[in-house]
Amino acid sequence: MKLALSLLLVTLALCCSDANAEVCPALGKEVISFLLDTKARFNDKIQKFDAPQAAKQAKLQVKKCVDNLSMWDRITVAHFVVTSFFLHRGCCSAAWPGESKI
């Protein structure tokens, strides 16, 4: 549960910071994939990023820990992440692509 709490706090920091008012849709997809996909499927998804192989391996090691959480806990965190992305969309001053500013 400590890992889920850490992920939640990082997500809040990224989504609610004034410096980063716009949430990248790719980030949401990657976080959901990190929580719910199998390790092999997640590995396929992160290979498209231009990150060092050591960083990708480190993320896969953390994924192993996340996979030890119950599916209920992972779905709960995923639900919160998706909800925060949508709530943040309405409460920040930056517009999403194709929208006017609030």
Side-chain angles (χ1 to χ4, degrees):
M1 195 61 190
K2 290 180 183 180
L3 180 62
L5 181 60
S6 298
L7 181 63
L8 177 64
L9 291 174
V10 168
T11 302
L12 285 173
L14 290 174
C15 294
C16 295
S17 168
D18 289 338
N20 187 11
E22 186 175 324
V23 178
C24 176
L27 172 65
K29 290 178 184 177
E30 194 269 338
V31 170
I32 298 301
S33 174
F34 179 75
L35 291 168
L36 301 178
D37 280 348
T38 63
K39 183 180 174 188
R41 193 167 177 189
F42 179 70
N43 185 31
D44 291 342
K45 289 184 179 182
I46 65 170
Q47 291 307 319
K48 67 182 174 184
F49 296 110
D50 187 29
Q53 194 60 33
K56 293 176 186 177
Q57 290 303 319
K59 190 137 190 175
L60 289 172
Q61 287 179 344
V62 175
K63 171 75 173 132
K64 278 196 224 175
C65 295
V66 170
D67 288 346
N68 289 331
L69 293 172
S70 71
M71 183 54 80
W72 176 254
D73 287 341
R74 289 190 279 161
I75 289 172
T76 302
V77 173
H79 179 265
F80 179 80
V81 169
V82 170
T83 303
S84 344
F85 285 170
F86 284 113
L87 288 178
H88 182 264
R89 184 177 178 186
C91 72
C92 70
S93 60
W96 279 49
E99 293 182 354
S100 61
K101 289 190 177 186
I102 297 174

